[in-house]
Amino acid sequence: MSEQLPVTAHTPALNQELVLSPDQEDIYARFPKSAGVGAFYFITGRAGTGKSTLLRKFVKETPLKKVIVAPTGLAAVNVGGQTIHSLFQLPPAPLEPESERITIFAPGSRKRRLFNQIDVLVIDEISMVRADLLDAMDYSLRMNREDERPFGGVSVVAFGDPWQLEPIVRGQAEAEMLNEYYPSPYFFDARVIRNMGAEIYELSTVHRQMHDQEFLWALNQIRGGNCEQLDFINNRVGADVSGGPVITLTATNARATTINLREMAMIPAPAQFFEGKVIGDFGSDLPTDLVIQLKPGAQVMFVRNGKTWVNGSIGTVESFGDDKIHVRLANGKLVDVTKESWQKIRYQWDRDRRRIIEEPVGEFIQYPLKLAWAVTIHKSQGLTFDRMILDLDRAAFSNGQTYVALSRVRTLNGLSLVRPVEISDVLVSPRVVEFAQSTGLAELS
């Protein structure tokens, strides 16, 4: 497109004041402070322990030359980074170890110069990064930096929880190829990790359910695959959670869309449409809809942090103004919502200023809102709700899915179930259990 992008990328979520808990402070103190350390740091923890807070603080404060990557476009936008495939210019298919399809950049090229200046590589949602992809990153850095140490001597700080999200394996052919080289598709079975090891740190203080310890105990059991607490959870079938905004979590996009459209149709007022704008190469993975349909009375969720709301805050549309949407938050505060900008970046080495810069390649402009009578479990990842209905319209189909869903709500009294959670809904990867047992993480599961 002809419209020009701004000169610098800006991520408000990374610029907010970040206060750490004692266990976060303890782990933060162990992060790399100088170049050339060349270790792999894995920071994990249960839902609500503040992994994202720790990531943002490290990114904001480290003096090291850093690059931030994530496995998906939306995750990359949310942390102000670049996708793994884009940064390393990797094909979307599985890769054999040291495959010829892993890009080796020309000596003296901009990407080669960039790679040679990286001190630390930050990876978000590491549990979604397949073993072959991590090995490809290791090989790329070794070859492009001409340094045979793991990751070419770059320190790696990775955040995620394999109990919640798993790597995506598309179809039988991909599974068979990966089985040829790896015990599992999880990142910790990558050859580079099995050879070099990892420094593993687990956040232990759960902030989300800190005021409901019995519920937290039940969630921890379910996280590890123990179903003895299901009767305790299933007492909430059909429970009344009225008294404020309630969001429904579903397994599928189709079910969430059906609920949102049904609720919208029940509001007699005419709908208004708010069209966003895509500039440059942003891709199709948008933080919210390109065209948002709203009415006064519509329940919405914020999809970005702000001064008076956070990502995941629920509110109700009250009215529309000039370039503003007036939303009543759950706490009763009326806020004016204006359009915001999300940027997709790529990293470049600025030779004149001797630093790594973020070059914007795409921009998405839209109100930071989406309809939120219902949302999928996957899209609720990392969010916190006060009142929630869990509508498992189909049986859970991925490891950790039920745990992710249940752990979004602060208290048991804020939870209502459409149907009982069955033993078959509690899916846990045996390989994750083995990994936890071998590293001492199982005692907290």
Side-chain angles (χ1 to χ4, degrees):
M1 294 186 181
S2 60
E3 294 182 63
Q4 296 297 307
L5 295 172
V7 175
T8 57
H10 175 62
T11 307
L14 301 182
N15 293 326
Q16 296 178 343
E17 185 66 27
L18 298 168
V19 179
L20 302 186
S21 63
D23 66 331
Q24 288 172 324
E25 287 280 8
D26 180 62
I27 292 174
Y28 186 72
R30 303 167 190 264
F31 282 4
K33 296 177 177 59
S34 60
V37 175
F40 188 97
Y41 301 80
F42 171 44
I43 293 83
T44 189
R46 293 165 286 177
T49 51
K51 296 180 292 294
S52 296
T53 299
L54 205 56
L55 182 154
R56 293 197 303 272
K57 188 174 180 69
F58 178 66
V59 166
K60 180 181 178 181
E61 296 184 356
T62 180
L64 299 176
K65 294 191 287 289
K66 62 187 178 295
V67 165
I68 314 161
V69 295
T72 67
L74 189 54
V77 168
N78 286 339
V79 294
Q82 192 170 352
T83 64
I84 294 168
H85 285 87
S86 171
L87 177 68
F88 290 90
Q89 292 187 18
L90 298 172
L95 295 162
E96 300 87 353
E98 302 189 354
S99 168
E100 293 181 354
R101 294 181 296 161
I102 299 171
T103 304
I104 308 299
F105 301 99
S109 65
R110 294 181 72 185
K111 188 59 73 76
R112 192 77 169 254
R113 293 198 299 270
L114 168 67
F115 277 24
N116 275 284
Q117 294 299 324
I118 299 173
D119 296 327
V120 60
L121 178 68
V122 180
I123 307 175
D124 194 23
E125 303 293 11
I126 184 65
S127 65
M128 295 182 69
V129 177
R130 284 199 319 251
D132 64 307
L133 186 56
L134 194 64
D135 275 343
M137 296 162 68
D138 162 57
Y139 181 69
S140 174
L141 288 169
R142 284 190 285 119
M143 294 299 100
N144 286 296
R145 290 168 62 92
E146 299 181 11
D147 186 334
E148 275 303 313
R149 290 179 295 171
F151 297 101
V154 171
S155 295
V156 179
V157 182
F159 298 79
D161 181 10
W163 299 92
Q164 295 187 58
L165 292 172
E166 60 183 348
I168 297 174
V169 179
R170 296 180 176 87
Q172 188 61 32
E174 282 197 5
E176 290 179 2
M177 178 268 167
L178 291 168
N179 288 338
E180 194 71 25
Y181 296 100
Y182 300 103
S184 84
Y186 283 95
F187 79 93
F188 47 74
D189 277 326
R191 294 184 176 190
V192 63
I193 300 301
R194 294 171 74 87
N195 289 334
M196 75 179 293
E199 296 188 26
I200 301 174
Y201 302 106
E202 183 165 31
L203 291 161
S204 58
T205 303
V206 177
H207 304 279
R208 186 174 295 145
Q209 288 89 24
M210 63 185 304
H211 298 300
D212 192 339
Q213 291 296 310
E214 192 174 10
F215 181 41
L216 177 59
W217 167 256
L219 290 176
N220 290 340
Q221 299 306 301
I222 291 170
R223 178 178 188 251
N226 186 333
C227 296
E228 293 180 359
Q229 297 298 313
L230 285 188
D231 286 344
F232 173 72
I233 297 293
N234 286 334
N235 283 330
R236 301 301 297 174
V237 172
D240 181 10
V241 289
S242 59
V246 180
I247 191 165
T248 297
L249 264 59
T250 72
T252 63
N253 278 311
R255 179 63 174 161
T257 299
T258 297
I259 293 171
N260 283 326
L261 292 180
R262 181 191 69 203
E263 295 294 328
M264 274 286 282
M266 293 175 64
I267 300 175
Q272 293 201 30
F273 297 84
F274 301 88
E275 187 171 358
K277 181 186 295 185
V278 175
I279 304 172
D281 180 19
F282 195 90
S284 59
D285 203 359
L286 304 178
T288 186
D289 296 331
L290 180 60
V291 179
I292 303 175
Q293 178 184 177
L294 296 175
K295 298 178 180 180
Q299 182 166 295
V300 292
M301 179 173 68
F302 288 83
V303 295
R304 193 171 199 176
N305 291 332
K307 291 183 178 179
T308 53
W309 60 76
V310 297
N311 186 20
S313 291
I314 303 296
T316 303
V317 174
E318 289 223 342
S319 60
F320 307 109
D322 293 335
D323 300 322
K324 294 179 181 179
I325 299 175
H326 307 297
V327 177
R328 181 78 62 182
L329 299 176
N331 63 9
K333 183 177 179 62
L334 184 65
V335 296
D336 293 336
V337 185
T338 57
K339 285 187 175 181
E340 294 195 19
S341 166
W342 291 260
Q343 293 182 333
K344 181 162 286 188
I345 64 128
R346 66 183 174 194
Y347 289 100
Q348 300 283 8
W349 173 247
D350 187 324
R351 183 162 45 185
D352 295 333
R353 290 184 286 176
R354 302 290 301 170
R355 64 173 183 164
I356 295 172
I357 61 171
E358 300 170 356
E359 178 181 271
V361 295
E363 183 179 17
F364 174 60
I365 302 170
Q366 181 58 290
Y367 292 98
L369 300 170
K370 67 189 307 178
L371 287 179
W373 285 286
V375 68
T376 63
I377 295 168
H378 183 74
K379 291 179 180 176
S380 74
Q381 183 71 30
L383 303 181
T384 301
F385 305 118
D386 291 318
R387 299 171 184 84
M388 185 188 89
I389 297 171
L390 178 55
D391 180 4
L392 288 174
D393 49 304
R394 56 174 289 185
F397 53 85
S398 64
N399 292 318
Q401 187 179 34
T402 298
Y403 168 69
V404 168
L406 292 170
S407 60
R408 297 308 97 197
V409 67
R410 294 183 190 275
T411 66
L412 185 68
N413 286 336
L415 173 67
S416 179
L417 302 175
V418 171
R419 69 161 175 86
V421 178
E422 307 290 346
I423 292 176
S424 58
D425 293 316
V426 182
L427 304 177
V428 177
S429 166
R431 182 66 192 105
V432 171
V433 174
E434 292 174 8
F435 171 70
Q437 290 173 340
S438 67
T439 55
L441 297 177
E443 61 189 18
L444 294 175
S445 302

